[in-house]
Amino acid sequence: MSSIFTLFFFFLFLKIATCGVQNNNFNLNGFGGAKLDLDGIASITPEGLLRLTNATRMKAGHAFHPVPLRFKSPAGETLSFSTTFVFAIVSKYSDVSSHGMAFLVSPTVNLSTALPSQYLGLFNSENCSAANHVLAVELDTIENQEFADINDNHVGIDVNCLKSVYSRPAGYYSGRATDDQFESLNLHSGEPMQVWVDFAGGDMQFNVTMSPAQMPKPSRPLLSATVNLSSVVYDQMYVGFSATTGSSNQPSHYVLGWSFMVNGEAESLDYRKLPQLPRLPRSKQKPKHIVVWLLPLAIFTFALMVAATVILVVRRRIKYAEVLEDWEKEYGPHRFSYKDLYCATDGFKDNGLLGVGGFGRVYRGVLRASNIEVAVKRVSHKSGQGMKEFVAEIVSIGKLRHRNVAHLLGYCRRKGELLLVYDYMPNGSLDKYLYDQTRPSLNWAQRFMIIKGVASAILYLHEEWEQVVVHRDIKASNVLLDGELNAKLGDFGLARLCKHGTDPRTTRIIGTIGYLAPEFTRKGKATTMSDIFSFGAFLLEVACGRRPLVVEAGEEEQVFLVDWVLENWKARTVLATRDQRLGLEEERSAMEMEMVLKLGCLCSHPMPEARPSMRRVMQFLDGDKTLPDLSLAYMSFSYPSLMQNQGYDGGDCIVSIPISVATVSTSSLNAR
Ligand SMILES: *[C@@H]1O[C@H](CO)[C@@H](O)[C@H](O)[C@H]1NC(C)=O
Ligand SMILES: *[C@@H]1O[C@H](CO)[C@@H](O)[C@H](O)[C@H]1NC(C)=O
Ligand SMILES: *[C@@H]1O[C@H](CO)[C@@H](O)[C@H](O)[C@H]1NC(C)=O
Ligand SMILES: *[C@@H]1O[C@H](CO)[C@@H](O)[C@H](O)[C@H]1NC(C)=O
Ligand SMILES: *[C@@H]1O[C@H](CO)[C@@H](O)[C@H](O)[C@H]1NC(C)=O
């Protein structure tokens, strides 16, 4: 029975002993629910922060572990102890100094007589009396001459006195480059920092270590001193914190977590459990210490990079945005990406501009992937119903293979814009050779070869390909010349596109005046016959070196080239209309020239039925057939009057007029 009681009391004793041990050690990751002895303006915030001061002037705040801890063994030897805590001094004006705080070991929690401000709430004067029995580790942010402070940002060990026995500027030995690599810390940066205080009872070694929060404890302490505490501490001492505010800047002193152990190393704090500091709107802060701002800087830089990347991606997407509809998928191989074209043309820079035509600008480029030289034509359009047909048509045109047809490599669509990619033609368009005085004039043989080339291209389109293709816009500026001055007919079907999607500011562009067959302007329907009409105008243009429509300078009257040639034909002076740069030395050239001029008039006949077919035209040009001796009655027509009579009134089907026409006068025409 007694043994049972003995056992019972033994367990009771064990339990009490365990409790006692627990009382000496604690580990507070945040202070939510912690029982602390608070006074002054100290409080525990709802988030679990120990807030020692609250931005009230000239006040002190204290917080103590509620029960005193044993600091001496029964034999009277000073025990070892170890503590660590995370603190932050947060102030609105981080560049203005404010008062610091201290960890303290005190015989009493009643520090009501202690003074605020520079006394840190510890003492009531500079009275350094052994009777105080106060040990403190100060985190001081003001340089007080009276206490012989080393600077305004230091850590010190205070024994009974604010005059520190040992002190060092705040910081830590990172041990990064060398063992004694020192990194300073700004105590009132507002950033949480951790402090370790370790005292070994045996050799009286007193170590103070600090580091930015989240970092492991530096192996080398900031302060390491021998301190004889035997006459300072009593058997039982209170441990806690003290902080004060001054008269000017009122910071808030926070403790986020605190762990303490007698005769052992304090348990480490769990950062995941620590409460968050409130974020204050702060004035410009320039923390001195690299690590303090390294993390925010890294986050900021990262955010900046992410933002920059997003902006870049968005800009690129806008820059290279295309319109691609489902129905276009089948045209895949003919579709170019806008990015490729943008890169090929160096961003459509003006120095790559080959020309500005009625339908848009043409740029020279080199496709990066294949190194092929291309001409990219940018045509603005309004997406309309015609687009689908048009793309189908240009893609089918891309399949056209003829030595005199400009090869369309593909296309790209953007909002309000169509880009057509052609083989690059080093010699540009024919009209430049006809009208640009800086270019060498083409001799008749060259011109005749070009004419035959264009004729064979039209024949191919009209009769030799799998389906009939109507060009709609045959003219000198749509004839391109390769390196050997071979003609390549280009710009198929654009007139049709522009009919479907016109710019409301201009009238409908469906062709070029002077090349338009009267029945086309009347009915608006392009046929192979209207192409032959345009080809007739083209023949006269090449032979005469003049545009099909000449506006007399100073007068309203327009003179059609065909009328003028006809007049000369009637007067039997048709060769006088030739380009005066062309000589008549060779008999053969003169005969070809006369034939071409007459054929041009024949093809320009207002009656579609009166025009020869392309195959016949080809036969005339090849010399396989001679031009019939046309009666002048048959050829008796006046182009402008017919245009007028047949309803051409400049209404809704006008038209791009070549720019340079206005400067030539009919008198000069007749003079030549
Ligand atoms: C500071 O704390 C004291 C005591 O808890 C309180 O009376 C005072 O209103 C507080 N001041 C501020 C600015 O929070
Ligand atoms: C604190 O000490 C002062 C005198 O030093 C005394 O007047 C006051 O009552 C004490 N307060 C407490 C709570 O013990
Ligand atoms: C210093 O402290 C001692 C003991 O507490 C006291 O007797 C003395 O008057 C104090 N001196 C001053 C100047 O406060
Ligand atoms: C104090 O730091 C030194 C290293 O500088 C170390 O050897 C010693 O054990 C430390 N003492 C305590 C009590 O932590
Ligand atoms: C520590 O201080 C006490 C009392 O002042 C003294 O008796 C003891 O010798 C000192 N210890 C050392 C190692 O100096």
Side-chain angles (χ1 to χ4, degrees):
M1 192 66 190
S2 64
S3 63
I4 292 171
F5 271 107
T6 319
L7 214 64
F8 174 75
F9 280 111
F10 176 72
F11 278 116
L12 194 69
F13 170 77
L14 255 188
K15 179 120 184 89
I16 290 163
T18 325
C19 290
V21 169
Q22 274 180 340
N23 276 346
N24 261 355
N25 313 311
F26 54 88
N27 184 8
L28 299 167
N29 291 297
F31 297 88
K35 284 194 180 71
L36 292 184
D37 211 321
L38 303 173
D39 77 6
I41 53 173
S43 62
I44 290 171
T45 68
E47 304 86 51
L49 288 162
L50 169 56
R51 187 179 187 181
L52 294 166
T53 58
N54 68 359
T56 312
R57 289 180 70 243
M58 298 298 282
K59 290 276 188 230
H62 298 111
F64 285 101
H65 186 62
V67 290
L69 306 179
R70 285 170 55 89
F71 271 78
K72 288 213 165 144
S73 69
E77 294 151 339
T78 313
L79 297 174
S80 299
F81 70 88
S82 163
T83 187
T84 182
F85 58 93
V86 175
F87 76 98
I89 303 175
V90 180
S91 103
K92 266 190 200 144
Y93 318 103
S94 64
D95 43 354
V96 177
S97 213
S98 55
H99 293 289
M101 58 184 284
F103 163 76
L104 73 159
V105 180
S106 159
T108 169
V109 295
N110 186 352
L111 293 174
S112 56
T113 56
L115 293 175
S117 192
Q118 68 266 40
Y119 301 99
L120 295 178
L122 301 178
F123 310 101
N124 60 1
S125 72
E126 62 235 66
N127 193 343
C128 292
S129 166
N132 287 336
H133 290 278
V134 169
L135 166 75
V137 173
E138 65 170 36
L139 305 164
D140 198 352
T141 56
I142 282 189
E143 184 176 347
N144 279 303
Q145 303 284 321
E146 48 182 325
F147 306 135
D149 283 348
I150 53 167
N151 67 6
D152 62 355
N153 185 50
H154 63 270
V155 178
I157 300 169
D158 300 350
V159 177
N160 290 329
C161 186
L162 276 171
K163 220 174 254 174
S164 306
V165 273
Y166 300 100
S167 68
R168 287 294 309 274
Y172 65 104
Y173 293 96
S174 66
R176 252 199 291 273
T178 58
D179 272 355
D180 49 12
Q181 167 112 25
F182 184 75
E183 316 277 357
S184 51
L185 289 174
N186 182 5
L187 292 175
H188 59 105
S189 65
E191 299 301 325
M193 285 169 262
Q194 187 165 3
V195 171
W196 292 264
V197 177
D198 300 288
F199 177 74
D203 56 5
M204 299 185 294
Q205 192 164 40
F206 198 107
N207 289 355
V208 180
T209 315
M210 75 182 298
S211 79
Q214 309 266 23
M215 270 186 56
K217 183 182 180 181
S219 54
R220 181 173 168 187
L222 173 65
L223 273 168
S224 189
T226 305
V227 182
N228 188 347
L229 289 181
S230 67
S231 58
V232 180
V233 294
Y234 292 118
D235 279 5
Q236 305 271 314
M237 297 289 277
Y238 290 93
V239 290
F241 298 95
S242 171
T244 53
T245 58
S247 53
S248 56
N249 189 10
Q250 281 82 48
S252 294
H253 300 85
Y254 291 100
V255 181
L256 290 77
W258 182 25
S259 153
F260 197 100
M261 182 171 277
V262 173
N263 272 337
E265 194 177 344
E267 279 179 50
S268 35
L269 296 170
D270 187 347
Y271 271 97
R272 287 165 304 174
K273 294 184 187 159
L274 297 188
Q276 293 285 308
L277 282 173
R279 285 283 148 210
L280 283 183
R282 307 187 55 174
S283 60
K284 281 168 257 142
Q285 177 190 352
K286 294 184 197 110
K288 285 180 205 138
H289 199 271
I290 183 163
V291 172
V292 174
W293 48 263
L294 208 61
L295 187 69
L297 190 76
I299 292 168
F300 178 73
T301 312
F302 180 72
L304 214 68
M305 280 165 66
V306 168
T309 311
V310 166
I311 289 169
L312 261 170
V313 166
V314 167
R315 277 187 58 176
R316 275 173 73 98
R317 293 198 90 170
I318 292 170
K319 190 169 166 183
Y320 301 133
E322 296 174 20
V323 176
L324 179 62
E325 289 174 58
D326 279 348
W327 54 263
E328 287 179 72
K329 299 251 163 76
E330 58 183 295
Y331 307 131
H334 295 280
R335 177 88 195 201
F336 279 86
S337 82
Y338 182 69
K339 196 181 154 192
D340 286 349
L341 299 182
Y342 188 91
C343 295
T345 57
D346 243 345
F348 296 102
K349 292 225 180 76
D350 273 353
N351 56 12
L353 191 64
L354 290 172
V356 183
F359 298 115
R361 297 168 155 249
V362 188
Y363 296 85
R364 182 188 176 173
V366 177
L367 293 176
R368 294 284 148 91
S370 51
N371 225 23
I372 291 175
E373 268 193 301
V374 291
V376 182
K377 187 162 203 153
R378 297 185 81 155
V379 185
S380 59
H381 73 83
K382 286 241 176 92
S383 51
Q385 285 192 315
M387 182 50 71
K388 192 169 176 174
E389 301 163 60
F390 179 76
V391 169
E393 195 169 304
I394 55 171
V395 168
S396 74
I397 284 163
K399 295 174 195 152
L400 294 175
R401 288 290 183 280
H402 188 274
R403 59 186 299 269
N404 295 111
V405 169
H407 188 209
L408 179 76
L409 299 171
Y411 76 103
C412 172
R413 273 178 74 205
R414 304 229 307 153
K415 201 163 179 285
E417 195 175 36
L418 178 75
L419 294 105
L420 300 172
V421 186
Y422 295 95
D423 272 338
Y424 173 68
M425 291 293 136
N427 281 317
S429 58
L430 174 62
D431 61 330
K432 298 226 176 66
Y433 281 89
L434 295 179
Y435 308 116
D436 189 339
Q437 300 303 319
T438 63
R439 298 256 180 148
S441 171
L442 300 171
N443 64 32
W444 179 252
Q446 290 166 326
R447 292 188 200 209
F448 196 57
M449 186 181 78
I450 290 166
I451 286 170
K452 288 212 280 193
V454 172
S456 73
I458 300 169
L459 177 63
Y460 173 73
L461 297 177
H462 284 183
E463 298 179 25
E464 292 174 353
W465 199 50
E466 56 197 49
Q467 67 194 63
V468 175
V469 176
V470 177
H471 186 288
R472 296 158 198 262
D473 201 15
I474 296 163
K475 58 179 175 182
S477 58
N478 280 343
V479 173
L480 303 165
L481 300 175
D482 71 7
E484 284 81 47
L485 293 175
N486 291 306
K488 308 266 182 183
L489 189 57
D491 270 0
F492 299 85
L494 277 184
R496 174 176 178 165
L497 166 76
C498 294
K499 188 182 164 196
H500 282 288
T502 48
D503 186 340
R505 284 172 296 140
T506 66
T507 47
R508 284 189 182 177
I509 300 169
I510 51 173
T512 306
I513 194 163
Y515 299 91
L516 293 176
E519 82 281 0
F520 178 37
T521 59
R522 196 173 65 240
K523 295 178 191 159
K525 192 172 185 304
T527 61
T528 53
M529 285 297 136
S530 57
D531 267 1
I532 290 169
F533 183 95
S534 306
F535 179 69
F538 167 78
L539 289 179
L540 298 181
E541 189 178 11
V542 176
C544 303
R546 296 175 194 277
R547 296 188 191 274
L549 177 72
V550 180
V551 181
E552 225 179 317
E555 286 179 44
E556 303 248 311
E557 206 188 333
Q558 303 170 328
V559 176
F560 285 88
L561 187 58
V562 58
D563 289 344
W564 182 62
V565 176
L566 273 171
E567 268 173 43
N568 280 279
W569 187 355
K570 286 175 203 165
R572 302 189 184 277
T573 56
V574 68
L575 275 175
T577 61
R578 75 180 195 282
D579 190 331
Q580 294 303 300
R581 291 175 292 185
L582 295 171
L584 288 172
E585 298 79 44
E586 285 179 64
E587 201 189 338
R588 193 170 150 239
S589 299
M591 281 174 61
E592 280 172 357
M593 247 179 265
E594 189 172 334
M595 186 265 290
V596 164
L597 287 163
K598 288 181 175 177
L599 183 60
C601 291
L602 185 58
C603 290
S604 299
H605 200 284
M607 299 301 183
E609 313 79 53
R611 297 170 205 152
S613 74
M614 213 56 219
R615 191 164 293 284
R616 277 190 76 81
V617 167
M618 206 64 230
Q619 288 168 345
F620 295 139
L621 290 173
D622 284 341
D624 296 345
K625 285 227 162 67
T626 46
L627 211 58
D629 201 9
L630 299 161
S631 77
L632 280 172
Y634 180 79
M635 292 309 293
S636 183
F637 59 85
S638 170
Y639 183 60
S641 60
L642 270 159
M643 289 285 275
Q644 242 91 51
N645 293 344
Q646 301 210 350
Y648 167 76
D649 56 358
D652 80 337
C653 46
I654 300 303
V655 196
S656 70
I657 299 172
I659 303 148
S660 61
V661 294
T663 54
V664 186
S665 72
T666 23
S667 49
S668 73
L669 277 176
N670 286 315
R672 284 164 67 176

